[in-house]
Amino acid sequence: MDLRRLAGDVRVKTSYAFTERDGERILAAILSSEDIWRVIDLSDVPMMALCEAIRAMRAAGWVEFTESRIRLTDPGRKLVQELGIAPALELRCGRCRGRGLELGPVAKIADRFKEIARSRPEAIQTYDQGYVTEESTLYRVAFMWARGDLAGKELLVLGDDDLVSLACALTGIPRRVVMLDIDERIVQFVRDVARAEGLEVEALQHDLREPLPEELLSAFDTFFCDPTESLRGFLAFAGRGISALRGPGSAGYMGLTRREASLSKWRAIQKELISSGAAITDIRDDFHDYVNWPYIETMRAWGHLPVKRVPGRDEPWYRSALIRIELVEPPRVENVRLEGDIFTDPEAATT
Amino acid sequence: MDLRRLAGDVRVKTSYAFTERDGERILAAILSSEDIWRVIDLSDVPMMALCEAIRAMRAAGWVEFTESRIRLTDPGRKLVQELGIAPALELRCGRCRGRGLELGPVAKIADRFKEIARSRPEAIQTYDQGYVTEESTLYRVAFMWARGDLAGKELLVLGDDDLVSLACALTGIPRRVVMLDIDERIVQFVRDVARAEGLEVEALQHDLREPLPEELLSAFDTFFCDPTESLRGFLAFAGRGISALRGPGSAGYMGLTRREASLSKWRAIQKELISSGAAITDIRDDFHDYVNWPYIETMRAWGHLPVKRVPGRDEPWYRSALIRIELVEPPRVENVRLEGDIFTDPEAATT
């Protein structure tokens, strides 16, 4: 068995275009850590493909597992040496945790936002929820502010289990904040907090499979959305955001992960974003850390995990990039109804 | 005069798709700084369009200049207040300067690299040269290392006035480093340093308008290039890099600026990169700071500047993003000869 054959086997068993490079990334990650969640985090290979690849590596005698650890065997060590694979190296800045920026004026609202988030509705699997840390949300807001997309602007948040609408409203600088969510609990939470805190946030219950209400079309300067990771779901949600933008100069923000989206999917998404009239101005990988959700043992990938250890709540392994686009042409997306399951595709791991 | 009409006027006078948002960005920058170089830096509007817009803003009575300053007039202040334009806010992390990472093991070679760079050939206008700070080059190398594109890998540097080949070779971790440059001075410098320092770098004099030598095609894991900013030139240089890559899993790095490239051009470039078989994995804006070159008073944009002050050598205003792509399909680019001027287009400012 060699890496090329192993990659071929994984391609046959999954629908994922697994490369030798993906195999290298997994081996480099195992060289750096024996913890399965760190390996998933460091390797940047979609989780379902990674599980299949590790199974094949075990069959090849390259890796072995204990109840809580994964490590290279002697033949595995020999292989990585022959191939010149070095341990995965993470050089995240110790101050900004890799995000590249300071909170600046957003630091002033940090305590209040964290206090509010303490009583937030818990993430549920029905809507593929899973929220980012409060710190990630605050840095998001700082990023939008620094890009000029917040002060004096009208903002639409599509799907808001991260409570971005509240964090933005707390800064007091946007001209208007509207949020949509399918989950009545979140809509009600945002309404209650807004009333109690004296914040202006319009919170609407809305299923993004349905067309956007007419009055939200071409009405915003900025949108934010952290879509579900299936290709169809991602494009649908991002498309709703784009159709809500005024035109050239308007900006959109999205979260996109490597954990459930292959680079082939990234490419398909990017192609679509560009076709819709936008340029991509920023991709900051690992900008968002997710809080581990309570349904981890019933998520799709659980049964495939080689080492079944439940990660601690504050042991982030699921991260996503922050992507910013800016329209350079009038938006080109259709505001039509979407039928069927938009949450799952072969790479989905957490639904 | 209002911002919409002003944007229309600038569009007519330049070939640039100037938006109201661009106008806002310039006004927000002037609210933050009276220094023309800071305004250029903060506004992220291509310099030639920015100069035209500022001229129009002066005609409209919104801004005024002194010999070294630019500032809003009273009517200008009233306008930005009415429009709700806030001062440009830069939230660069104080530790990593916005790059998001630590130098890590690259810190060990920093002194030696800076010592080497002290005797580098000076930037000349003939080849549209202008090099990044030594710190920028070192962070680049750290970024490539952290992404797994350096250790045990074969690297091609296309155009190397930044001395990336030497910095990479100094780390001792790549398997092979090859550099190409049109400028015999730089090729000779890299050869001399490599010999003196005992580094393995293959340095070849090559004009990138010519097809790549056969033996460099499909031969590398990673390429680096900081192309000229004209659309045709950028795509040609990036295309050479892509044609030198092995295939899926291979990665490419490019510098791309907002100073001489509109977001329309960014979008055209991104479309082409994606068509050639790649996904874009990272775009970190303002990753590179450039050292001010000696020919600043003869560059194309100089005559258009509203305030003609020569910036200090260590007063960076020209910055560019670091873009990383990864092939997900076999590369699709042609290795053909390019005729004519590939350096200038209407947005070019420094040639």
Side-chain angles (χ1 to χ4, degrees):
Chain A
M1 178 61 73
D2 61 19
L3 213 44
R4 175 182 294 244
R5 261 187 60 205
L6 184 128
D9 289 354
V10 176
R11 277 200 296 277
V12 169
K13 286 205 178 142
T14 63
S15 65
Y16 172 62
F18 193 89
T19 60
E20 288 174 62
R21 179 74 193 267
D22 288 322
E24 280 179 28
R25 275 194 269 255
I26 295 170
L27 291 167
I30 299 174
L31 270 176
S32 278
S33 174
E34 298 189 341
D35 175 36
I36 184 68
W37 298 105
R38 264 311 267 165
V39 169
I40 293 170
D41 186 9
L42 285 170
S43 63
D44 271 342
V45 172
M47 199 172 166
M48 296 296 282
L50 175 138
C51 289
E52 190 59 46
I54 288 182
R55 195 175 306 170
M57 287 176 181
R58 185 196 205 174
W62 298 350
V63 300
E64 58 188 10
F65 320 139
T66 66
E67 216 161 279
S68 65
R69 303 269 133 198
I70 177 168
R71 64 169 75 99
L72 292 174
T73 59
D74 287 339
R77 287 201 172 272
K78 213 176 134 216
L79 178 85
V80 300
Q81 209 154 19
E82 277 168 17
L83 295 175
I85 297 173
L89 183 68
E90 208 181 36
L91 295 177
R92 223 180 266 271
C93 169
R95 184 179 166 101
C96 62
R97 304 300 303 143
R99 298 185 178 97
L101 77 166
E102 304 275 336
L103 283 181
V106 176
K108 281 184 218 142
I109 63 146
D111 287 345
R112 213 163 139 213
F113 179 68
K114 285 176 189 165
E115 179 59 39
I116 287 169
R118 210 165 287 165
S119 47
R120 71 199 303 164
E122 191 45 89
I124 52 174
Q125 197 163 9
T126 322
Y127 302 125
D128 191 25
Q129 289 170 347
Y131 48 78
V132 302
T133 60
E134 279 88 50
E135 192 185 67
S136 300
T137 297
L138 291 165
Y139 272 100
R140 251 185 208 171
V141 175
F143 195 89
M144 293 162 85
W145 194 334
R147 285 285 179 272
D149 295 321
L150 216 51
K153 300 294 182 185
E154 304 195 33
L155 169 75
L156 177 66
V157 182
L158 304 105
D160 197 21
D161 51 342
D162 295 331
L163 310 178
V164 172
S165 64
L166 290 172
C168 288
L170 277 169
T171 66
I173 56 161
R175 191 188 293 262
R176 183 187 183 202
V177 180
V178 181
M179 75 77 103
L180 305 177
D181 207 287
I182 190 173
D183 186 349
E184 189 55 53
R185 298 174 313 148
I186 294 176
V187 174
Q188 200 51 54
F189 180 76
V190 169
R191 275 189 197 146
D192 291 346
V193 170
R195 194 169 30 232
E197 301 274 333
L199 302 171
E200 281 193 53
V201 180
E202 299 160 53
L204 306 169
Q205 200 271 336
H206 181 81
D207 181 344
L208 286 169
R209 284 171 291 198
E210 300 295 327
L212 276 193
E214 199 65 35
E215 66 273 20
L216 300 183
L217 295 174
S218 310
F220 294 88
D221 304 297
T222 310
F223 78 81
F224 189 92
C225 99
D226 195 357
T228 185
E229 285 75 19
S230 75
L231 180 58
R232 203 165 151 247
F234 191 100
L235 293 175
F237 287 17
R240 298 282 187 239
I242 292 170
S243 69
L245 294 180
R246 289 219 160 81
S250 301
Y253 290 84
M254 285 147 284
L256 180 57
T257 185
R258 301 280 290 267
R259 305 289 168 275
E260 297 186 79
S262 64
L263 288 182
S264 301
K265 196 194 278 181
W266 278 49
R267 180 170 175 246
I269 287 169
Q270 290 168 347
K271 195 174 167 188
E272 205 60 28
L273 291 173
I274 290 167
S275 300
S276 69
I280 307 171
T281 64
D282 301 88
I283 304 180
R284 301 229 172 179
D285 205 17
D286 290 346
F287 193 96
H288 302 126
D289 303 329
Y290 289 73
V291 177
N292 284 314
W293 44 89
Y295 58 86
I296 209 147
E297 287 169 274
T298 59
M299 71 178 184
R300 185 162 172 244
W302 180 262
H304 299 262
L305 275 178
V307 174
K308 290 192 176 54
R309 182 179 73 75
V310 178
R313 200 166 160 86
D314 295 322
E315 216 180 309
W317 60 274
Y318 194 102
R319 301 184 209 268
S320 72
L322 179 64
I323 299 183
R324 180 183 182 274
I325 59 170
E326 186 171 320
L327 284 179
V328 294
E329 291 189 4
R332 283 194 296 271
V333 271
E334 289 188 336
N335 191 33
V336 293
R337 187 159 198 279
L338 286 154
E339 309 284 349
D341 173 15
I342 61 162
F343 294 109
T344 46
D345 73 2
E347 294 173 3
T350 62
T351 47
Chain B
M1 178 60 74
D2 60 19
L3 213 45
R4 176 183 293 244
R5 262 187 59 205
L6 184 129
D9 289 355
V10 176
R11 277 200 297 275
V12 169
K13 285 202 180 144
T14 62
S15 66
Y16 172 62
F18 193 89
T19 59
E20 287 173 63
R21 178 72 192 267
D22 289 321
E24 280 179 29
R25 274 192 270 254
I26 295 170
L27 292 167
I30 299 173
L31 269 177
S32 278
S33 174
E34 297 188 342
D35 175 35
I36 184 67
W37 298 106
R38 262 314 264 166
V39 169
I40 292 170
D41 186 8
L42 285 171
S43 64
D44 271 342
V45 172
M47 199 171 167
M48 295 297 280
L50 176 137
C51 290
E52 190 57 46
I54 287 181
R55 194 174 307 168
M57 286 176 182
R58 186 196 205 174
W62 300 349
V63 300
E64 58 188 12
F65 320 139
T66 67
E67 216 162 278
S68 64
R69 302 270 134 197
I70 176 168
R71 63 169 76 102
L72 291 175
T73 57
D74 287 339
R77 285 198 176 274
K78 213 177 132 217
L79 178 85
V80 301
Q81 209 156 20
E82 277 166 18
L83 295 176
I85 297 173
L89 182 69
E90 208 182 36
L91 295 177
R92 226 180 262 273
C93 170
R95 184 180 168 100
C96 63
R97 303 301 303 143
R99 298 184 177 99
L101 77 166
E102 304 275 334
L103 283 180
V106 177
K108 281 184 216 141
I109 64 147
D111 287 345
R112 213 164 139 212
F113 180 67
K114 285 175 189 166
E115 180 60 38
I116 287 168
R118 211 164 285 164
S119 47
R120 70 199 305 165
E122 191 44 270
I124 53 174
Q125 197 163 11
T126 323
Y127 302 124
D128 189 24
Q129 289 170 348
Y131 47 77
V132 302
T133 60
E134 281 88 48
E135 192 185 68
S136 300
T137 296
L138 291 166
Y139 272 100
R140 251 184 207 172
V141 175
F143 195 89
M144 293 162 84
W145 194 334
R147 285 285 180 272
D149 295 322
L150 216 53
K153 301 292 181 186
E154 304 194 34
L155 170 75
L156 178 66
V157 182
L158 304 106
D160 197 22
D161 51 341
D162 295 330
L163 311 177
V164 173
S165 65
L166 290 172
C168 289
L170 278 169
T171 66
I173 56 160
R175 191 188 293 262
R176 183 185 182 203
V177 179
V178 180
M179 76 78 103
L180 306 177
D181 206 287
I182 191 172
D183 185 350
E184 189 56 54
R185 299 174 313 146
I186 293 176
V187 174
Q188 201 51 56
F189 180 76
V190 169
R191 273 187 198 145
D192 291 346
V193 171
R195 195 170 29 237
E197 301 274 333
L199 302 171
E200 283 192 52
V201 179
E202 299 160 53
L204 308 169
Q205 200 271 337
H206 181 80
D207 181 344
L208 286 169
R209 284 170 292 198
E210 300 295 327
L212 277 193
E214 199 67 35
E215 65 274 20
L216 299 183
L217 294 174
S218 312
F220 294 88
D221 303 298
T222 309
F223 78 81
F224 189 92
C225 101
D226 195 356
T228 182
E229 285 76 18
S230 75
L231 181 58
R232 201 163 152 249
F234 191 100
L235 292 176
F237 287 18
R240 298 282 187 238
I242 291 170
S243 69
L245 294 180
R246 291 221 157 81
S250 300
Y253 290 84
M254 286 147 284
L256 180 57
T257 186
R258 301 279 290 267
R259 305 288 168 276
E260 296 186 83
S262 64
L263 288 182
S264 300
K265 198 194 277 182
W266 276 51
R267 178 170 175 246
I269 287 170
Q270 291 169 346
K271 196 175 167 185
E272 206 57 32
L273 292 172
I274 289 168
S275 300
S276 70
I280 307 170
T281 65
D282 300 271
I283 304 179
R284 300 228 174 181
D285 204 16
D286 290 346
F287 194 96
H288 303 125
D289 303 331
Y290 289 73
V291 177
N292 284 315
W293 44 89
Y295 58 88
I296 209 143
E297 287 169 276
T298 59
M299 70 178 184
R300 184 161 175 246
W302 180 261
H304 300 261
L305 275 179
V307 174
K308 292 195 173 50
R309 183 179 73 75
V310 177
R313 202 168 157 84
D314 294 321
E315 214 181 313
W317 60 274
Y318 194 104
R319 302 184 208 267
S320 72
L322 179 63
I323 298 183
R324 179 182 182 273
I325 59 170
E326 186 171 321
L327 284 178
V328 295
E329 291 190 3
R332 285 193 296 269
V333 272
E334 288 189 336
N335 191 33
V336 294
R337 189 159 195 278
L338 287 153
E339 309 285 349
D341 173 14
I342 61 161
F343 293 109
T344 46
D345 72 3
E347 294 173 4
T350 62
T351 46

